[in-house]
Amino acid sequence: GRDVPIGTLVLDEAHELSNPKTLRTMGASMLASRAERVLALTGTPIWNKPIGLWSILSLMAPGAFGSQAQFGDRYCDPQPTQYGTRYDGSTNSAELDARLSQVRIRRRHSDIQTNLPPMTRDVIIADVTDVQRRRLDLLAEGLRKSNNTNTAGQLARYRAVLGEIKIGVTLNKARQVLMQEPYVIWTWHRALAAKIHHQLEEAGLTAFLVSGDVSPARREQRIEAWKQQPRAALVITIPVGQVGIDLSHAMQSLFVEIDYTPAMVEQPEKR
């Protein structure tokens, strides 16, 4: 019931509570108000800069860091706009770090890396046919001449075509690896992930697909099913697979597509 007291409340994947307006965070706040102690755990960076820390800190130490506006004014580089104050930066970071040391236990990947096997990276070259090269040249020229302000959308189209060019070399590499061990294949686009998954199955290889088109419940089921197979491929998209899952069943992974932000690649490869 609502009146049952809580001794210690543990909030796992606490980075999901960085927005105080979500129902998830509101529910966590209600539970935290009844707890004697609150522990917030996460191995994922807070993507939306220092302001994203406030709601998590308010759950662990209510009032200690002031209101969200007070926290933002002190530590998040407040910038007045016609729509209100924006907190997109960082200020007084040394002071904030000192205060966080009172409530935070932090372990970086480098702190434990000595206990993990070394991470190595190789680049696999994909040959481009004349037809594919002409298509890429036309896309690049259209992007250069376009007056369309949606550059991100056009770059996404260009990246999608590049991804399709890499399907052949991806299948060849997957066949080699799957003869001996499981494999993880990362893409950015859902359509590319579906194509790779389909062609792996057509080639008689065991493969599981996890993307934004798959419900969260089925994602978990497919990942667990993949872990039961000694030589199967997991084809997974970066947006849904970069955090909160354990893919240590495989020692090798292949990035068919990568993100422009390095952290969006570092997170998946550490899964």
Side-chain angles (χ1 to χ4, degrees), residues 87-101:
Y87 300 108
D88 290 335
S90 175
T91 47
N92 300 307
S93 55
E95 177 187 312
L96 176 59
D97 194 58
R99 294 189 65 188
L100 289 177
S101 67

Side-chain angles (χ1 to χ4, degrees), residues 10-174:
V10 180
L11 302 170
D12 196 13
E13 303 294 345
H15 61 278
E16 298 284 1
L17 305 175
S18 62
N19 185 347
K21 296 181 180 179
T22 63
L23 293 176
R24 180 189 297 112
T25 305
M26 292 178 185
S29 179
M30 180 191 70
L31 292 173
S33 67
R34 295 170 21 214
E36 296 179 16
R37 295 168 299 277
V38 177
L39 299 178
L41 313 177
T42 183
T44 302
I46 304 296
W47 296 115
N48 53 345
K49 303 178 183 179
I51 192 64
L53 290 170
W54 178 82
S55 64
I56 300 172
L57 293 170
S58 68
L59 296 173
M60 296 190 300
F65 290 84
S67 66
Q68 186 178 32
Q70 290 171 330
F71 183 86
D73 289 342
R74 183 66 182 169
Y75 300 116
C76 305
D77 189 24
Q79 297 295 326
T81 72
Q82 59 181 327
Y83 303 107
T85 304
R86 293 184 62 87
Y87 300 108
D88 290 335
S90 175
T91 47
N92 300 307
S93 55
E95 177 187 312
L96 176 59
D97 194 58
R99 294 189 65 188
L100 289 177
S101 67
Q102 300 173 356
V103 297
R104 177 189 66 195
I105 298 175
R106 187 177 193 179
R107 295 292 181 269
R108 298 177 184 271
H109 188 260
S110 57
D111 297 331
I112 61 170
Q113 199 164 11
T114 55
N115 299 325
L116 299 174
M119 185 180 296
T120 59
R121 299 182 182 91
D122 296 313
V123 176
I124 302 173
I125 304 299
D127 294 327
V128 181
T129 67
D130 290 339
V131 172
Q132 291 169 333
R133 192 182 305 279
R134 284 195 294 271
R135 185 181 178 190
L136 289 172
D137 289 343
L138 288 171
L139 280 172
E141 184 65 9
L143 178 61
R144 187 181 69 83
K145 291 182 176 181
S146 175
N147 293 322
N148 191 335
T149 57
N150 188 11
T151 304
Q154 295 193 50
L155 286 174
R157 284 183 56 220
Y158 191 86
R159 233 178 16 159
V161 173
L162 284 174
E164 292 183 9
I165 291 173
K166 300 174 190 175
I167 289 179
V169 71
T170 297
L171 295 177
N172 290 335
K173 182 63 177 179

